[in-house]
Short mmCIF file of all heavy atoms in Angstrom, two decimals:
data_model
loop_
_atom_site.label_atom_id
_atom_site.label_comp_id
_atom_site.label_asym_id
_atom_site.label_seq_id
_atom_site.Cartn_x
_atom_site.Cartn_y
_atom_site.Cartn_z
N MET A 1 17.17 10.36 -27.09
CA MET A 1 16.51 9.60 -26.05
C MET A 1 17.46 8.72 -25.36
O MET A 1 18.48 8.25 -25.90
CB MET A 1 15.39 8.81 -26.64
CG MET A 1 14.14 9.59 -26.99
SD MET A 1 13.44 10.44 -25.58
CE MET A 1 12.95 9.04 -24.54
N GLU A 2 17.17 8.45 -24.11
CA GLU A 2 18.03 7.49 -23.36
C GLU A 2 17.56 6.04 -23.61
O GLU A 2 16.37 5.78 -23.70
CB GLU A 2 17.87 7.81 -21.86
CG GLU A 2 18.48 9.16 -21.49
CD GLU A 2 17.71 9.84 -20.43
OE1 GLU A 2 16.74 9.31 -19.85
OE2 GLU A 2 18.06 10.98 -20.12
N ARG A 3 18.51 5.24 -23.73
CA ARG A 3 18.22 3.82 -23.89
C ARG A 3 18.42 3.14 -22.53
O ARG A 3 19.51 3.13 -21.98
CB ARG A 3 19.16 3.17 -24.95
CG ARG A 3 18.73 3.59 -26.34
CD ARG A 3 19.84 3.16 -27.30
NE ARG A 3 21.00 3.98 -27.09
CZ ARG A 3 22.24 3.75 -27.68
NH1 ARG A 3 22.34 2.74 -28.40
NH2 ARG A 3 23.27 4.54 -27.46
N ALA A 4 17.39 2.57 -22.04
CA ALA A 4 17.39 2.00 -20.71
C ALA A 4 17.72 0.53 -20.79
O ALA A 4 17.36 -0.13 -21.71
CB ALA A 4 16.12 2.22 -19.96
N THR A 5 18.30 0.06 -19.75
CA THR A 5 18.55 -1.37 -19.60
C THR A 5 17.79 -1.81 -18.44
O THR A 5 17.77 -1.26 -17.35
CB THR A 5 20.04 -1.75 -19.38
OG1 THR A 5 20.52 -1.03 -18.23
CG2 THR A 5 20.90 -1.29 -20.60
N GLY A 6 17.03 -2.92 -18.61
CA GLY A 6 16.34 -3.43 -17.49
C GLY A 6 15.15 -2.56 -17.09
O GLY A 6 14.82 -1.57 -17.77
N GLY A 7 14.51 -2.85 -16.00
CA GLY A 7 13.36 -2.10 -15.58
C GLY A 7 13.71 -1.09 -14.49
O GLY A 7 14.92 -0.90 -14.16
N ARG A 8 12.73 -0.39 -14.06
CA ARG A 8 12.89 0.50 -12.95
C ARG A 8 12.82 -0.22 -11.65
O ARG A 8 12.15 -1.24 -11.54
CB ARG A 8 11.84 1.60 -12.99
CG ARG A 8 11.90 2.52 -14.19
CD ARG A 8 10.78 3.42 -14.20
NE ARG A 8 10.85 4.31 -15.44
CZ ARG A 8 9.90 5.16 -15.76
NH1 ARG A 8 8.79 5.28 -15.07
NH2 ARG A 8 10.05 5.87 -16.84
N ARG A 9 13.49 0.35 -10.65
CA ARG A 9 13.40 -0.22 -9.33
C ARG A 9 13.30 0.90 -8.34
O ARG A 9 13.50 2.03 -8.70
CB ARG A 9 14.61 -1.12 -9.00
CG ARG A 9 15.95 -0.36 -9.02
CD ARG A 9 17.14 -1.31 -8.90
NE ARG A 9 18.38 -0.56 -8.78
CZ ARG A 9 19.12 -0.09 -9.78
NH1 ARG A 9 18.70 -0.24 -10.97
NH2 ARG A 9 20.21 0.58 -9.54
N THR A 10 12.93 0.57 -7.13
CA THR A 10 12.86 1.62 -6.07
C THR A 10 13.92 1.32 -5.03
O THR A 10 14.18 0.22 -4.68
CB THR A 10 11.46 1.71 -5.46
OG1 THR A 10 11.07 0.43 -4.94
CG2 THR A 10 10.44 2.17 -6.47
N GLU A 11 14.51 2.39 -4.52
CA GLU A 11 15.50 2.27 -3.49
C GLU A 11 15.24 3.35 -2.45
O GLU A 11 14.78 4.46 -2.77
CB GLU A 11 16.88 2.44 -4.05
CG GLU A 11 17.33 1.29 -5.02
CD GLU A 11 18.77 1.45 -5.38
OE1 GLU A 11 19.52 2.24 -4.80
OE2 GLU A 11 19.17 0.79 -6.39
N ILE A 12 15.56 3.10 -1.17
CA ILE A 12 15.42 4.06 -0.13
C ILE A 12 16.80 4.69 0.11
O ILE A 12 17.79 3.98 0.37
CB ILE A 12 14.90 3.43 1.17
CG1 ILE A 12 13.61 2.61 0.93
CG2 ILE A 12 14.75 4.49 2.21
CD1 ILE A 12 12.46 3.50 0.45
N ARG A 13 16.81 6.03 -0.07
CA ARG A 13 18.03 6.74 0.20
C ARG A 13 17.72 7.94 1.08
O ARG A 13 16.80 8.73 0.76
CB ARG A 13 18.69 7.31 -1.10
CG ARG A 13 19.05 6.21 -2.09
CD ARG A 13 20.43 5.67 -1.76
NE ARG A 13 20.62 4.32 -2.41
CZ ARG A 13 21.79 3.93 -2.80
NH1 ARG A 13 22.90 4.62 -2.58
NH2 ARG A 13 21.93 2.68 -3.32
N ARG A 14 18.47 8.14 2.11
CA ARG A 14 18.25 9.22 3.01
C ARG A 14 16.79 9.47 3.44
O ARG A 14 16.23 10.51 3.43
CB ARG A 14 18.76 10.55 2.33
CG ARG A 14 20.27 10.55 2.05
CD ARG A 14 20.73 11.88 1.47
NE ARG A 14 21.70 11.71 0.44
CZ ARG A 14 21.39 11.67 -0.86
NH1 ARG A 14 20.17 11.94 -1.28
NH2 ARG A 14 22.34 11.47 -1.71
N GLY A 15 16.14 8.31 3.66
CA GLY A 15 14.77 8.29 4.08
C GLY A 15 13.73 8.62 3.05
O GLY A 15 12.54 8.72 3.32
N GLU A 16 14.18 8.70 1.82
CA GLU A 16 13.26 8.95 0.72
C GLU A 16 13.23 7.76 -0.23
O GLU A 16 14.29 7.11 -0.40
CB GLU A 16 13.70 10.15 -0.09
CG GLU A 16 13.21 11.50 0.46
CD GLU A 16 13.40 12.59 -0.57
OE1 GLU A 16 14.52 13.14 -0.65
OE2 GLU A 16 12.47 12.89 -1.25
N GLU A 17 12.09 7.58 -0.84
CA GLU A 17 12.02 6.47 -1.86
C GLU A 17 12.33 7.12 -3.25
O GLU A 17 11.73 8.06 -3.62
CB GLU A 17 10.61 5.88 -1.86
CG GLU A 17 10.56 4.63 -2.79
CD GLU A 17 9.22 4.01 -2.80
OE1 GLU A 17 8.80 3.41 -1.77
OE2 GLU A 17 8.52 4.15 -3.82
N TRP A 18 13.27 6.43 -3.91
CA TRP A 18 13.68 6.89 -5.20
C TRP A 18 13.31 5.84 -6.28
O TRP A 18 13.45 4.62 -6.00
CB TRP A 18 15.18 7.12 -5.27
CG TRP A 18 15.60 8.18 -4.33
CD1 TRP A 18 15.78 8.03 -2.94
CD2 TRP A 18 15.95 9.55 -4.60
NE1 TRP A 18 16.19 9.25 -2.45
CE2 TRP A 18 16.27 10.20 -3.42
CE3 TRP A 18 15.95 10.28 -5.85
CZ2 TRP A 18 16.64 11.53 -3.37
CZ3 TRP A 18 16.33 11.63 -5.77
CH2 TRP A 18 16.65 12.24 -4.58
N THR A 19 12.97 6.26 -7.42
CA THR A 19 12.83 5.40 -8.58
C THR A 19 14.18 5.47 -9.32
O THR A 19 14.68 6.54 -9.59
CB THR A 19 11.67 5.80 -9.48
OG1 THR A 19 10.48 5.84 -8.71
CG2 THR A 19 11.53 4.82 -10.64
N VAL A 20 14.75 4.29 -9.58
CA VAL A 20 16.11 4.23 -10.12
C VAL A 20 16.01 3.47 -11.44
O VAL A 20 15.37 2.37 -11.52
CB VAL A 20 17.06 3.53 -9.14
CG1 VAL A 20 18.47 3.55 -9.68
CG2 VAL A 20 16.94 4.17 -7.76
N GLN A 21 16.72 3.88 -12.39
CA GLN A 21 16.76 3.17 -13.67
C GLN A 21 18.19 3.23 -14.20
O GLN A 21 18.84 4.26 -14.23
CB GLN A 21 15.81 3.89 -14.68
CG GLN A 21 15.62 3.14 -15.95
CD GLN A 21 14.37 3.59 -16.69
OE1 GLN A 21 13.81 4.60 -16.35
NE2 GLN A 21 14.02 2.85 -17.72
N ASN A 22 18.67 2.05 -14.59
CA ASN A 22 19.97 2.02 -15.21
C ASN A 22 19.86 2.45 -16.68
O ASN A 22 18.96 2.09 -17.36
CB ASN A 22 20.53 0.58 -15.18
CG ASN A 22 21.16 0.26 -13.85
OD1 ASN A 22 20.45 -0.09 -12.91
ND2 ASN A 22 22.49 0.46 -13.74
N VAL A 23 20.82 3.21 -17.11
CA VAL A 23 20.85 3.71 -18.46
C VAL A 23 22.15 3.25 -19.14
O VAL A 23 23.20 3.42 -18.52
CB VAL A 23 20.80 5.28 -18.50
CG1 VAL A 23 20.90 5.79 -19.95
CG2 VAL A 23 19.48 5.74 -17.89
N ARG A 24 22.05 2.70 -20.25
CA ARG A 24 23.21 2.14 -20.93
C ARG A 24 23.98 3.18 -21.62
O ARG A 24 25.27 3.12 -21.69
CB ARG A 24 22.79 1.05 -21.92
CG ARG A 24 23.88 0.29 -22.59
CD ARG A 24 23.28 -0.78 -23.48
NE ARG A 24 22.43 -0.25 -24.47
CZ ARG A 24 21.53 -0.96 -25.17
NH1 ARG A 24 21.41 -2.26 -24.92
NH2 ARG A 24 20.76 -0.43 -26.02
N SER A 25 23.30 4.20 -22.09
CA SER A 25 23.97 5.26 -22.88
C SER A 25 23.04 6.43 -22.97
O SER A 25 21.83 6.34 -22.81
CB SER A 25 24.28 4.72 -24.30
OG SER A 25 24.90 5.70 -25.02
N SER A 26 23.63 7.61 -23.08
CA SER A 26 22.88 8.79 -23.33
C SER A 26 23.56 9.67 -24.38
O SER A 26 24.75 9.50 -24.64
CB SER A 26 22.65 9.60 -22.02
OG SER A 26 23.91 10.02 -21.55
N GLU A 27 22.82 10.61 -24.89
CA GLU A 27 23.39 11.42 -25.89
C GLU A 27 23.98 12.73 -25.39
O GLU A 27 24.68 13.44 -26.12
CB GLU A 27 22.33 11.78 -27.00
CG GLU A 27 21.95 10.52 -27.78
CD GLU A 27 20.89 10.82 -28.84
OE1 GLU A 27 20.40 11.97 -28.92
OE2 GLU A 27 20.51 9.90 -29.54
N LYS A 28 23.56 13.02 -24.14
CA LYS A 28 24.02 14.30 -23.50
C LYS A 28 25.01 13.96 -22.42
O LYS A 28 25.02 12.87 -21.84
CB LYS A 28 22.83 15.03 -22.90
CG LYS A 28 21.94 15.69 -23.93
CD LYS A 28 20.74 16.35 -23.26
CE LYS A 28 21.14 17.35 -22.24
NZ LYS A 28 19.93 17.95 -21.56
N THR A 29 25.78 14.98 -22.05
CA THR A 29 26.62 14.94 -20.86
C THR A 29 25.88 15.56 -19.69
O THR A 29 25.31 16.64 -19.83
CB THR A 29 27.95 15.63 -21.08
OG1 THR A 29 28.70 14.99 -22.12
CG2 THR A 29 28.84 15.64 -19.84
N TYR A 30 25.87 14.88 -18.58
CA TYR A 30 25.18 15.36 -17.38
C TYR A 30 26.22 15.58 -16.32
O TYR A 30 27.35 15.08 -16.37
CB TYR A 30 24.10 14.34 -16.92
CG TYR A 30 23.02 14.09 -17.92
CD1 TYR A 30 23.17 13.04 -18.78
CD2 TYR A 30 21.95 14.89 -17.98
CE1 TYR A 30 22.18 12.73 -19.80
CE2 TYR A 30 20.91 14.69 -18.91
CZ TYR A 30 21.07 13.62 -19.78
OH TYR A 30 20.08 13.37 -20.72
N THR A 31 25.81 16.32 -15.27
CA THR A 31 26.64 16.44 -14.11
C THR A 31 26.14 15.60 -12.98
O THR A 31 24.98 15.70 -12.57
CB THR A 31 26.69 17.94 -13.66
OG1 THR A 31 27.19 18.75 -14.75
CG2 THR A 31 27.58 18.13 -12.44
N CYS A 32 27.02 14.79 -12.47
CA CYS A 32 26.66 13.85 -11.39
C CYS A 32 26.48 14.67 -10.08
O CYS A 32 27.40 15.38 -9.71
CB CYS A 32 27.73 12.82 -11.28
SG CYS A 32 27.56 11.75 -9.85
N PRO A 33 25.33 14.53 -9.39
CA PRO A 33 25.17 15.29 -8.18
C PRO A 33 25.99 14.70 -7.01
O PRO A 33 26.16 15.38 -5.97
CB PRO A 33 23.70 15.14 -7.87
CG PRO A 33 23.25 13.90 -8.63
CD PRO A 33 24.17 13.77 -9.79
N GLY A 34 26.56 13.54 -7.20
CA GLY A 34 27.37 12.90 -6.18
C GLY A 34 28.77 13.52 -6.09
O GLY A 34 29.27 13.85 -4.97
N CYS A 35 29.39 13.65 -7.13
CA CYS A 35 30.78 14.07 -7.20
C CYS A 35 30.95 15.40 -8.04
O CYS A 35 32.08 15.94 -8.10
CB CYS A 35 31.66 12.99 -7.77
SG CYS A 35 31.29 12.60 -9.49
N HIS A 36 29.91 15.84 -8.63
CA HIS A 36 29.92 17.10 -9.42
C HIS A 36 30.89 17.00 -10.59
O HIS A 36 31.34 18.00 -11.09
CB HIS A 36 30.24 18.29 -8.58
CG HIS A 36 29.25 18.45 -7.39
ND1 HIS A 36 27.96 18.86 -7.58
CD2 HIS A 36 29.43 18.19 -6.08
CE1 HIS A 36 27.38 18.87 -6.38
NE2 HIS A 36 28.25 18.45 -5.48
N GLN A 37 31.12 15.79 -11.04
CA GLN A 37 31.92 15.59 -12.22
C GLN A 37 30.97 15.21 -13.40
O GLN A 37 29.87 14.73 -13.15
CB GLN A 37 32.93 14.44 -12.04
CG GLN A 37 33.92 14.76 -10.92
CD GLN A 37 34.80 15.99 -11.21
OE1 GLN A 37 35.40 16.06 -12.30
NE2 GLN A 37 34.80 16.93 -10.29
N PRO A 38 31.40 15.42 -14.61
CA PRO A 38 30.53 15.08 -15.73
C PRO A 38 30.27 13.62 -15.93
O PRO A 38 31.19 12.81 -15.62
CB PRO A 38 31.24 15.66 -16.95
CG PRO A 38 32.61 15.95 -16.53
CD PRO A 38 32.62 16.12 -15.05
N VAL A 39 29.05 13.22 -16.25
CA VAL A 39 28.73 11.89 -16.71
C VAL A 39 28.81 11.92 -18.22
O VAL A 39 27.91 12.52 -18.83
CB VAL A 39 27.32 11.44 -16.26
CG1 VAL A 39 26.98 10.08 -16.66
CG2 VAL A 39 27.25 11.57 -14.70
N PRO A 40 29.86 11.43 -18.86
CA PRO A 40 30.02 11.58 -20.27
C PRO A 40 28.89 10.98 -21.11
O PRO A 40 28.34 9.96 -20.72
CB PRO A 40 31.36 10.93 -20.54
CG PRO A 40 31.99 10.68 -19.26
CD PRO A 40 30.92 10.58 -18.26
N ALA A 41 28.63 11.59 -22.20
CA ALA A 41 27.67 11.03 -23.18
C ALA A 41 28.11 9.62 -23.56
O ALA A 41 29.36 9.43 -23.80
CB ALA A 41 27.53 11.94 -24.38
N GLY A 42 27.25 8.75 -23.67
CA GLY A 42 27.58 7.34 -24.14
C GLY A 42 28.05 6.45 -23.00
O GLY A 42 28.33 5.27 -23.29
N SER A 43 28.05 6.96 -21.75
CA SER A 43 28.46 6.09 -20.72
C SER A 43 27.31 5.51 -19.92
O SER A 43 26.28 6.19 -19.78
CB SER A 43 29.38 6.87 -19.70
OG SER A 43 28.66 7.87 -19.06
N ALA A 44 27.44 4.29 -19.42
CA ALA A 44 26.40 3.71 -18.61
C ALA A 44 26.33 4.47 -17.28
O ALA A 44 27.35 4.80 -16.69
CB ALA A 44 26.72 2.25 -18.40
N HIS A 45 25.13 4.71 -16.83
CA HIS A 45 24.95 5.42 -15.56
C HIS A 45 23.58 5.09 -15.01
O HIS A 45 22.85 4.24 -15.54
CB HIS A 45 25.19 6.90 -15.76
CG HIS A 45 24.27 7.58 -16.70
ND1 HIS A 45 24.43 7.56 -18.03
CD2 HIS A 45 23.13 8.30 -16.45
CE1 HIS A 45 23.46 8.25 -18.61
NE2 HIS A 45 22.62 8.73 -17.67
N VAL A 46 23.25 5.79 -13.94
CA VAL A 46 21.94 5.61 -13.26
C VAL A 46 21.18 6.89 -13.31
O VAL A 46 21.69 7.98 -13.08
CB VAL A 46 22.23 5.17 -11.76
CG1 VAL A 46 20.94 5.22 -10.95
CG2 VAL A 46 22.78 3.74 -11.76
N VAL A 47 19.88 6.77 -13.53
CA VAL A 47 19.01 7.90 -13.44
C VAL A 47 18.11 7.66 -12.21
O VAL A 47 17.52 6.60 -12.02
CB VAL A 47 18.15 8.12 -14.64
CG1 VAL A 47 17.21 9.30 -14.56
CG2 VAL A 47 19.01 8.29 -15.89
N ALA A 48 17.92 8.71 -11.38
CA ALA A 48 17.13 8.52 -10.18
C ALA A 48 16.30 9.81 -9.93
O ALA A 48 16.69 10.89 -10.22
CB ALA A 48 18.03 8.30 -8.98
N TRP A 49 15.11 9.55 -9.42
CA TRP A 49 14.22 10.64 -9.03
C TRP A 49 13.36 10.20 -7.90
O TRP A 49 13.09 8.99 -7.68
CB TRP A 49 13.39 11.17 -10.19
CG TRP A 49 12.41 10.15 -10.81
CD1 TRP A 49 11.12 9.96 -10.51
CD2 TRP A 49 12.71 9.23 -11.85
NE1 TRP A 49 10.53 9.00 -11.27
CE2 TRP A 49 11.50 8.46 -12.09
CE3 TRP A 49 13.88 8.87 -12.59
CZ2 TRP A 49 11.44 7.47 -13.05
CZ3 TRP A 49 13.78 7.85 -13.50
CH2 TRP A 49 12.58 7.19 -13.71
N ALA A 50 12.90 11.13 -7.07
CA ALA A 50 12.07 10.81 -5.95
C ALA A 50 10.73 10.30 -6.41
O ALA A 50 10.08 10.89 -7.28
CB ALA A 50 11.89 12.11 -5.09
N THR A 51 10.35 9.16 -5.84
CA THR A 51 9.14 8.54 -6.25
C THR A 51 7.90 9.39 -5.95
O THR A 51 7.01 9.55 -6.77
CB THR A 51 8.99 7.18 -5.66
OG1 THR A 51 10.15 6.39 -5.94
CG2 THR A 51 7.74 6.42 -6.12
N GLU A 52 7.90 9.92 -4.72
CA GLU A 52 6.83 10.77 -4.29
C GLU A 52 7.38 12.16 -4.12
O GLU A 52 8.35 12.34 -3.32
CB GLU A 52 6.24 10.25 -2.98
CG GLU A 52 5.66 8.87 -3.07
CD GLU A 52 4.43 8.79 -4.00
OE1 GLU A 52 3.82 9.83 -4.29
OE2 GLU A 52 4.14 7.68 -4.43
N SER A 53 6.89 13.11 -4.79
CA SER A 53 7.37 14.51 -4.71
C SER A 53 6.22 15.42 -4.28
O SER A 53 5.04 15.18 -4.64
CB SER A 53 7.92 14.98 -6.02
OG SER A 53 8.14 16.35 -5.99
N LEU A 54 6.57 16.44 -3.51
CA LEU A 54 5.52 17.42 -3.17
C LEU A 54 4.95 18.05 -4.37
O LEU A 54 3.80 18.51 -4.36
CB LEU A 54 6.22 18.55 -2.35
CG LEU A 54 6.63 18.29 -0.93
CD1 LEU A 54 7.31 19.48 -0.31
CD2 LEU A 54 5.41 17.93 -0.06
N PHE A 55 5.72 18.06 -5.43
CA PHE A 55 5.25 18.75 -6.65
C PHE A 55 4.67 17.78 -7.67
O PHE A 55 4.36 18.17 -8.81
CB PHE A 55 6.44 19.50 -7.27
CG PHE A 55 7.11 20.42 -6.26
CD1 PHE A 55 8.32 20.08 -5.77
CD2 PHE A 55 6.44 21.59 -5.83
CE1 PHE A 55 8.92 20.92 -4.77
CE2 PHE A 55 7.05 22.39 -4.91
CZ PHE A 55 8.27 22.04 -4.39
N GLY A 56 4.53 16.48 -7.26
CA GLY A 56 3.90 15.54 -8.22
C GLY A 56 4.89 14.74 -8.94
O GLY A 56 6.05 15.05 -9.06
N ARG A 57 4.41 13.65 -9.52
CA ARG A 57 5.29 12.70 -10.17
C ARG A 57 5.92 13.33 -11.44
O ARG A 57 7.03 12.97 -11.75
CB ARG A 57 4.49 11.48 -10.56
CG ARG A 57 4.27 10.53 -9.45
CD ARG A 57 3.30 9.42 -9.69
NE ARG A 57 3.00 8.67 -8.49
CZ ARG A 57 3.53 7.47 -8.23
NH1 ARG A 57 4.35 6.93 -9.06
NH2 ARG A 57 3.27 6.86 -7.11
N GLU A 58 5.13 14.14 -12.13
CA GLU A 58 5.66 14.69 -13.37
C GLU A 58 6.87 15.61 -13.02
O GLU A 58 7.88 15.59 -13.74
CB GLU A 58 4.57 15.53 -14.11
CG GLU A 58 3.55 14.63 -14.69
CD GLU A 58 4.06 13.66 -15.74
OE1 GLU A 58 4.90 14.11 -16.57
OE2 GLU A 58 3.71 12.49 -15.70
N ALA A 59 6.74 16.44 -12.00
CA ALA A 59 7.85 17.29 -11.59
C ALA A 59 8.98 16.56 -11.10
O ALA A 59 10.14 16.84 -11.38
CB ALA A 59 7.33 18.29 -10.46
N ALA A 60 8.73 15.47 -10.37
CA ALA A 60 9.78 14.61 -9.86
C ALA A 60 10.58 14.01 -11.03
O ALA A 60 11.80 13.98 -11.04
CB ALA A 60 9.27 13.54 -8.96
N LEU A 61 9.84 13.58 -12.00
CA LEU A 61 10.47 12.99 -13.15
C LEU A 61 11.33 14.02 -13.94
O LEU A 61 12.44 13.73 -14.38
CB LEU A 61 9.43 12.35 -14.12
CG LEU A 61 9.90 11.54 -15.24
CD1 LEU A 61 10.69 10.35 -14.76
CD2 LEU A 61 8.70 11.03 -16.07
N ALA A 62 10.79 15.21 -14.04
CA ALA A 62 11.48 16.27 -14.70
C ALA A 62 12.78 16.68 -13.95
O ALA A 62 13.72 17.12 -14.56
CB ALA A 62 10.57 17.50 -14.86
N ALA A 63 12.77 16.42 -12.62
CA ALA A 63 13.91 16.75 -11.79
C ALA A 63 14.89 15.62 -11.62
O ALA A 63 15.74 15.63 -10.75
CB ALA A 63 13.43 17.27 -10.46
N ARG A 64 14.80 14.59 -12.43
CA ARG A 64 15.63 13.40 -12.33
C ARG A 64 17.09 13.78 -12.46
O ARG A 64 17.38 14.76 -13.18
CB ARG A 64 15.22 12.31 -13.24
CG ARG A 64 15.41 12.64 -14.71
CD ARG A 64 14.69 11.57 -15.56
NE ARG A 64 14.83 11.79 -16.99
CZ ARG A 64 14.13 12.68 -17.72
NH1 ARG A 64 13.18 13.38 -17.11
NH2 ARG A 64 14.30 12.79 -18.99
N ARG A 65 17.92 13.02 -11.87
CA ARG A 65 19.30 13.27 -11.90
C ARG A 65 20.09 12.11 -12.41
O ARG A 65 19.69 10.93 -12.17
CB ARG A 65 19.88 13.61 -10.41
CG ARG A 65 19.34 14.93 -9.92
CD ARG A 65 19.98 16.12 -10.63
NE ARG A 65 19.34 17.41 -10.20
CZ ARG A 65 18.40 18.01 -10.84
NH1 ARG A 65 17.88 17.55 -11.92
NH2 ARG A 65 17.92 19.19 -10.40
N HIS A 66 21.20 12.38 -13.05
CA HIS A 66 22.03 11.29 -13.64
C HIS A 66 23.27 11.15 -12.75
O HIS A 66 24.02 12.11 -12.55
CB HIS A 66 22.42 11.69 -15.10
CG HIS A 66 21.22 11.83 -15.95
ND1 HIS A 66 21.00 10.88 -16.95
CD2 HIS A 66 20.21 12.72 -16.01
CE1 HIS A 66 19.83 11.25 -17.58
NE2 HIS A 66 19.43 12.29 -17.04
N TRP A 67 23.48 9.90 -12.28
CA TRP A 67 24.58 9.63 -11.38
C TRP A 67 25.57 8.63 -12.04
O TRP A 67 25.13 7.74 -12.79
CB TRP A 67 24.01 8.90 -10.16
CG TRP A 67 23.15 9.72 -9.31
CD1 TRP A 67 21.79 10.06 -9.60
CD2 TRP A 67 23.38 10.27 -7.98
NE1 TRP A 67 21.28 10.77 -8.50
CE2 TRP A 67 22.21 10.94 -7.56
CE3 TRP A 67 24.53 10.27 -7.18
CZ2 TRP A 67 22.19 11.56 -6.34
CZ3 TRP A 67 24.48 10.88 -5.96
CH2 TRP A 67 23.29 11.52 -5.53
N HIS A 68 26.83 8.74 -11.73
CA HIS A 68 27.75 7.70 -12.01
C HIS A 68 27.30 6.41 -11.26
O HIS A 68 26.79 6.55 -10.14
CB HIS A 68 29.18 8.04 -11.54
CG HIS A 68 29.76 9.17 -12.29
ND1 HIS A 68 30.11 10.40 -11.65
CD2 HIS A 68 30.16 9.31 -13.62
CE1 HIS A 68 30.64 11.22 -12.58
NE2 HIS A 68 30.69 10.54 -13.74
N LEU A 69 27.56 5.30 -11.90
CA LEU A 69 27.23 4.04 -11.19
C LEU A 69 27.83 3.99 -9.79
O LEU A 69 27.20 3.56 -8.85
CB LEU A 69 27.67 2.84 -12.03
CG LEU A 69 26.91 2.67 -13.37
CD1 LEU A 69 27.63 1.60 -14.22
CD2 LEU A 69 25.51 2.24 -13.06
N ARG A 70 29.11 4.42 -9.70
CA ARG A 70 29.85 4.25 -8.45
C ARG A 70 29.30 5.30 -7.42
O ARG A 70 29.38 5.05 -6.18
CB ARG A 70 31.33 4.43 -8.65
CG ARG A 70 31.78 5.82 -9.11
CD ARG A 70 33.26 5.92 -9.21
NE ARG A 70 33.69 7.24 -9.56
CZ ARG A 70 33.69 7.72 -10.85
NH1 ARG A 70 33.36 6.94 -11.82
NH2 ARG A 70 34.06 8.92 -11.12
N CYS A 71 28.86 6.41 -7.90
CA CYS A 71 28.37 7.45 -6.97
C CYS A 71 27.00 7.08 -6.37
O CYS A 71 26.72 7.40 -5.28
CB CYS A 71 28.29 8.81 -7.65
SG CYS A 71 30.00 9.36 -8.09
N TRP A 72 26.13 6.49 -7.18
CA TRP A 72 24.85 6.09 -6.69
C TRP A 72 25.02 4.86 -5.87
O TRP A 72 24.45 4.74 -4.74
CB TRP A 72 23.89 5.85 -7.83
CG TRP A 72 22.52 5.36 -7.33
CD1 TRP A 72 22.08 4.08 -7.24
CD2 TRP A 72 21.49 6.22 -6.80
NE1 TRP A 72 20.81 4.11 -6.68
CE2 TRP A 72 20.42 5.37 -6.34
CE3 TRP A 72 21.42 7.63 -6.54
CZ2 TRP A 72 19.29 5.86 -5.81
CZ3 TRP A 72 20.26 8.09 -6.00
CH2 TRP A 72 19.19 7.25 -5.61
N GLY A 73 25.78 3.92 -6.33
CA GLY A 73 25.84 2.63 -5.66
C GLY A 73 26.60 2.71 -4.35
O GLY A 73 26.41 1.87 -3.51
ZN1 ZN B 101 29.70 10.92 -9.75
#
């Protein structure tokens, strides 16, 4: 499981509202959609997903992406 720091927040990116959560650490390595480089396991990063999705909140949550802090910010 991911250990989150702080609460969720919403941000507007490219005209869409995203739910954003800072993650202190994770057990898996993810690929950052911003730079297509790995987000190493154990590194602090950001998880983001579209708040409102055509496919519903559950699908949006399932499609969440893990970003480097610098790539999201
Ligand atoms: Zn990145």
Side-chain angles (χ1 to χ4, degrees):
M1 285 301 295
E2 292 145 3
R3 286 169 290 168
T5 58
R8 292 176 183 174
R9 62 189 187 274
T10 56
E11 295 186 12
I12 306 297
R13 299 275 163 152
R14 298 184 219 99
E16 276 193 277
E17 186 180 290
W18 298 79
T19 303
V20 185
Q21 190 160 12
N22 279 83
V23 176
R24 186 174 58 197
S25 180
S26 63
E27 293 180 357
K28 286 175 59 181
T29 296
Y30 298 94
T31 299
C32 171
C35 66
H36 304 289
Q37 298 298 307
V39 179
S43 66
H45 62 278
V46 167
V47 179
W49 60 94
T51 303
E52 300 294 340
S53 167
L54 286 176
F55 307 105
R57 283 170 187 257
E58 290 299 316
L61 188 59
R64 66 192 181 278
R65 292 289 176 263
H66 296 251
W67 297 72
H68 294 115
L69 291 171
R70 65 177 183 278
C71 293
W72 179 262

